[in-house]
């Protein structure tokens, strides 16, 4: 079964979507979208280094995004212009990565695959890495779920009940680095952030608890991966961007639906009152 | 030292020094909180009030000195604000139940503080300032705390709102016997409700009973022209309501 490249691609897409969506909820709640994007950009530096010195792309990506995320976590609370620092560090690594790649002959065409993903070339090893990453992220999230929620709401409140907010947010950071690293093969460094935030944002208007939001986001992410993969097969379009387009479409649909649902409930309310 | 008859020591801070980088924020702060006490910390912005709280709950490293918390002391912390993004779907009930070491009795008390059953099911991002303060106080009561730490808990409330809030605090102390350490800007309320007032400005400028603090020159210099008004308000409530009750 795994010998079929479409099956591998589907399993890879589903794996990344399932890891990214619940983590993405925290990215949205904690307003870390820019942080996530910079971490993803930084990963390209890791990719280019691994191409240059010929070691695993996955290792290179996870190493540099962890490094980047750790530096930012350290800087948090110490620097007033964190947002700017993030932009500088993220783009600096992205640009450096691109320059390094230009020195290596023969990988220029391959570069596109790391920017927007190349899900159809996922190997069995890639698949294994993706699903190991998924398990780590899900175990970490379900283990620290309540603690992370409390830290998100107020770090001092969390500290007063014996939690260590810095450690909790570092766990999220590690999760983010893992998702970025496993997501490169599927949607690439430029689009991985969308797998984090678009399903979460789409789920928001459908739910009333944080847990349901994570579950719905996972479902939406999975659906986007499958539909996007099929669409790219039928229309002969690049797969990563197709998956993101489907996710965006779902986001717009939920937005419109929730708008009409609100109008409808307002009308019903008015009728009841009159 | 931590126990002396009825005056059980809950929090004992000695010669506490805290610095952010090179900037000294707290210098030689020594203070104690005993069972049943209401102690209020006043001081200008940037005087280290919140830092002092952070040192008590252990969220920042201390440079020197000691912060001794009675063993197994249950702390209820009421922060100034919550970082609620509208994207986080969270009802009041769920928020309350995020509290660690909560128990049924605590949940009952929290519900009494909320004052309305509708509030439990409403999304936390839709609350008014007054409702949010009640919810935060309710959250702090979930573990039946021995000490309540209130960080400018009435920020954003109008005067009747904060008066009602302080009344609730008094009730909590009377029914549960928990000690209260609070940071406040409502000087006149502070003066009438506290057992002790501590003026903080990096170091402790003066401390003692509300009356003696209000009369001290350090206090006068810290709060400048506002002091006269404060004193007037203080004496006002004194003469009308009487302290004998």
């Amino acid at each position: 079964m795994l010998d079929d490249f479409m099956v591998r691609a589907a399993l890879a897409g589903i794996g990344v979507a399932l890891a990214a969506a619940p983590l993405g909820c925290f990215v949205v709640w904690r307003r870390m979208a820019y942080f996530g994007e910079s971490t993803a950009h930084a990963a390209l530096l890791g990719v280019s280094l691994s191409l240059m010195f010929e070691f695993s792309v996955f290792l290179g990506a996870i190493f540099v995004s962890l490094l980047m995320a750790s530096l930012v976590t350290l800087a948090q609370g110490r620097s007033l212009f964190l947002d700017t620092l993030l932009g500088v560090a993220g783009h600096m690594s992205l640009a450096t990565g691109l320059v390094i790649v230009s020195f290596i002959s023969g990988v220029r065409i391959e570069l596109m695959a790391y920017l927007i993903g190349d899900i159809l070339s996922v190997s069995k090893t890639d698949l294994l890495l993706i699903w190991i990453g998924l398990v780590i992220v899900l175990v970490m999230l379900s283990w620290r779920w309540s603690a992370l929620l409390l830290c998100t709401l107020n770090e001092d409140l969390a500290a007063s009940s014996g939690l260590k907010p810095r450690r909790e947010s570092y766990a999220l950071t590690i999760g983010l680095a893992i998702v970025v690293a496993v997501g490169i093969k599927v949607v690439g460094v430029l689009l991985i952030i969308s797998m984090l935030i678009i399903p979460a944002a789409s789920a928001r208007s459908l739910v009333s608890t944080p847990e349901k939001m994570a579950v719905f986001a996972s479902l939406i992410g999975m659906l986007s991966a499958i539909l996007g993969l099929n669409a790219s097969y039928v229309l002969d379009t690049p797969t990563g961007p197709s998956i993101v387009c489907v996710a965006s479409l779902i986001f717009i649909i939920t937005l419109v639906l929730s708008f009409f649902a609100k109008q409808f409930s307002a009308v019903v309310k008015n009728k009841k009152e009159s | 030292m931590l126990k002396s008859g009825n005056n059980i020591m809950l929090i004992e801070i000695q010669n506490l020094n805290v610095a952010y980088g090179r900037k000294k924020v707290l210098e030689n702060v020594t203070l104690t909180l005993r069972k049943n006490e209401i102690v209020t910390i006043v001081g200008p912005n940037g005087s280290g009030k919140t830092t002092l709280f952070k040192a008590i709950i252990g969220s920042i490293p201390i440079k020197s000195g000691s912060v001794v918390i009675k063993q197994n002391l249950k702390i209820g912390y009421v922060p100034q604000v919550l970082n609620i993004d509208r994207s986080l779907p969270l009802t009041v009930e769920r928020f309350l139940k995020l509290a660690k070491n909560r128990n049924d009795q605590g949940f009952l008390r929290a519900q009494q503080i909320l004052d309305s059953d509708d509030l439990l099911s409403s999304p936390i991002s839709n609350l008014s300032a007054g409702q949010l303060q009640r919810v935060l106080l309710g959250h702090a009561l979930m573990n039946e705390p021995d000490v309540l730490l209130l960080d400018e808990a009435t920020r954003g409330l109008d005067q009747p709102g904060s008066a009602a809030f302080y009344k609730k605090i008094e009730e909590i102390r009377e029914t549960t016997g928990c000690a209260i350490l609070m940071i406040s800007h409502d000087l006149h309320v502070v003066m009438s409700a506290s057992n002790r007032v501590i003026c903080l400005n990096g170091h402790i400028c003066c401390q003692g009973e509300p009356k003696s603090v209000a009369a001290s020159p350090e206090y006068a210099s810290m709060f400048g022209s506002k002091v006269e008004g404060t004193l007037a308000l203080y004496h006002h409530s004194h003469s009308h309501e009487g302290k004998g009750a």
Side-chain angles (χ1 to χ4, degrees):
Chain A
M1 188 179 85
L2 290 179
D3 291 330
D4 184 346
F5 77 98
M6 278 301 273
V7 173
R8 286 201 303 272
L11 286 176
I14 290 171
V16 169
L18 285 181
L23 191 73
C25 290
F26 277 103
V27 171
V28 170
W29 297 333
R30 294 167 76 105
R31 304 187 188 111
M32 288 164 65
Y34 198 54
F35 176 60
E37 181 152 308
S38 305
T39 307
H41 284 171
L44 193 83
L45 178 62
V47 169
S48 62
L49 288 175
S50 68
L51 289 176
M52 193 163 190
F53 299 108
E54 292 175 348
F55 59 92
S56 153
V57 167
F58 178 80
L59 278 182
I62 203 164
F63 176 72
V64 175
S65 35
L66 261 185
L67 192 72
M68 163 86 182
S70 311
L71 284 178
V72 172
T73 310
L74 262 177
Q76 233 156 19
R78 282 171 211 216
S79 172
L80 290 174
F81 50 106
L82 188 64
D83 229 32
T84 311
L85 274 182
L86 273 176
V88 171
H91 288 97
M92 190 174 72
S93 335
L94 181 65
T96 314
L98 291 172
V99 168
I100 289 178
V101 164
S102 73
F103 287 125
I104 318 167
S105 54
V107 293
R108 252 183 244 205
I109 301 151
E110 221 180 316
L111 184 66
M112 203 60 179
Y114 296 110
L115 289 177
I116 63 167
D118 186 13
I119 196 173
L120 298 180
S121 74
V122 165
S123 68
K124 283 182 189 166
T125 321
D126 293 332
L127 200 54
L128 184 68
L129 283 174
I130 289 173
W131 281 76
I132 290 175
L134 167 67
V135 170
I136 295 175
V137 168
L138 288 188
V139 167
M140 186 275 288
L141 278 181
S142 43
W143 178 39
R144 306 308 306 166
W145 188 262
S146 292
L148 281 168
L149 272 179
L150 203 54
C151 290
T152 300
L153 288 166
N154 187 302
E155 298 208 333
D156 287 332
L157 196 59
S160 75
S161 50
L163 297 170
K164 299 263 177 288
R166 287 213 143 211
R167 213 164 56 191
E168 305 293 342
S169 72
Y170 199 65
L172 274 188
T173 302
I174 292 173
L176 199 63
I178 292 176
V179 168
V180 166
V182 300
I184 285 181
K185 199 79 198 190
V186 174
V187 285
V189 295
L190 294 184
L191 292 175
I192 182 65
I193 189 70
S194 54
M195 291 303 284
L196 286 158
I197 60 174
I198 298 179
S202 316
R204 173 61 186 101
S205 55
L206 310 173
V207 298
S208 55
T209 71
E211 292 74 21
K212 276 187 197 154
M213 183 157 153
V215 171
F216 272 74
S218 305
L219 291 176
I220 291 170
M222 230 161 68
L223 191 69
S224 315
I226 295 169
L227 290 181
L229 184 63
N230 280 308
S232 85
Y233 185 73
V234 174
L235 303 171
D236 193 22
T237 49
T239 314
S242 306
I243 293 176
V244 176
C245 282
V246 172
S248 313
L249 208 62
I250 296 178
F251 172 70
I252 292 168
I253 292 171
T254 58
L255 210 63
V256 172
L257 279 182
S258 75
F259 174 77
F260 281 115
K262 259 181 213 154
Q263 298 286 318
F264 181 71
S265 67
V267 169
V268 171
K269 209 176 168 191
N270 280 342
K271 267 194 182 162
K272 266 186 191 164
E273 276 165 10
S274 63
Chain B
M1 175 110 192
L2 276 172
K3 256 187 193 176
S4 58
N6 209 22
N7 290 337
I8 300 171
M9 200 77 86
L10 302 180
I11 298 174
E12 189 169 17
I13 299 173
Q14 274 183 337
N15 298 319
L16 174 68
N17 284 282
V18 174
Y20 291 137
R22 276 187 204 157
K23 193 173 168 256
K24 289 179 185 166
V25 185
L26 290 175
E27 279 181 88
N28 283 323
V29 170
T30 296
L31 76 87
T32 56
L33 183 70
R34 293 184 178 82
K35 206 173 171 225
N36 255 314
E37 263 187 328
I38 295 187
V39 174
T40 304
I41 301 166
V42 295
N45 289 336
S47 59
K49 305 184 295 287
T50 301
T51 304
L52 180 59
F53 269 23
K54 282 179 195 266
I56 292 174
I57 61 176
S59 73
I60 50 162
I62 62 178
K63 207 173 133 205
S64 65
S66 66
V67 176
V68 180
I69 311 283
K70 185 176 164 275
Q71 253 196 340
N72 299 325
L73 187 77
K74 287 183 288 181
I75 294 180
Y77 180 75
V78 181
Q80 289 184 21
V81 283
L82 282 186
N83 316 313
I84 340 159
D85 194 279
R86 289 195 73 87
S87 66
L88 176 57
L90 197 69
T91 62
V92 169
E93 182 167 7
R94 186 69 218 284
F95 169 64
L96 291 178
K97 289 184 172 171
L98 277 179
K100 286 218 145 194
N101 307 319
R102 65 190 161 88
N103 58 39
D104 293 345
Q105 186 63 31
F107 187 46
L108 224 63
R109 287 211 195 292
Q111 279 173 298
Q112 285 164 6
I113 291 300
L114 293 189
D115 238 4
S116 112
D117 292 335
D118 300 346
L119 215 54
L120 273 183
S121 59
S122 50
I124 206 161
S125 51
N126 289 356
L127 302 181
S128 69
Q131 287 170 330
L132 183 62
Q133 283 314 338
R134 292 212 298 274
V135 169
L136 287 173
L137 181 58
H139 182 97
L141 295 174
M142 289 294 281
N143 62 349
E144 290 197 280
D146 308 308
V147 175
L148 267 183
L149 299 179
L150 298 139
D151 188 356
E152 286 184 44
T154 56
R155 206 176 74 149
L157 298 189
D158 56 11
Q159 235 162 10
S162 47
F165 189 83
Y166 284 117
K167 215 174 151 211
K168 286 220 154 94
I169 301 285
E170 275 276 7
E171 281 170 25
I172 291 166
R173 179 176 72 153
E174 274 160 26
T175 50
T176 69
C178 82
I180 288 153
L181 182 62
M182 61 183 175
I183 294 171
S184 180
H185 280 308
D186 303 313
L187 296 177
H188 56 285
V189 183
V190 164
M191 292 301 161
S192 58
S194 313
N195 300 112
R196 242 170 344 118
V197 175
I198 294 169
C199 288
L200 190 69
N201 195 3
H203 60 285
I204 290 179
C205 307
C206 55
Q207 63 172 316
E209 283 180 27
K211 227 177 175 177
S212 68
V213 169
S216 78
E218 290 93 345
Y219 180 81
S221 71
M222 188 188 288
F223 290 103
S225 58
K226 255 175 112 181
V227 170
E228 266 170 48
T230 308
L231 281 175
L233 272 166
Y234 174 64
H235 287 306
H236 178 84
S237 67
H238 192 91
S239 58
H240 277 263
E241 288 159 21
K243 279 262 162 176

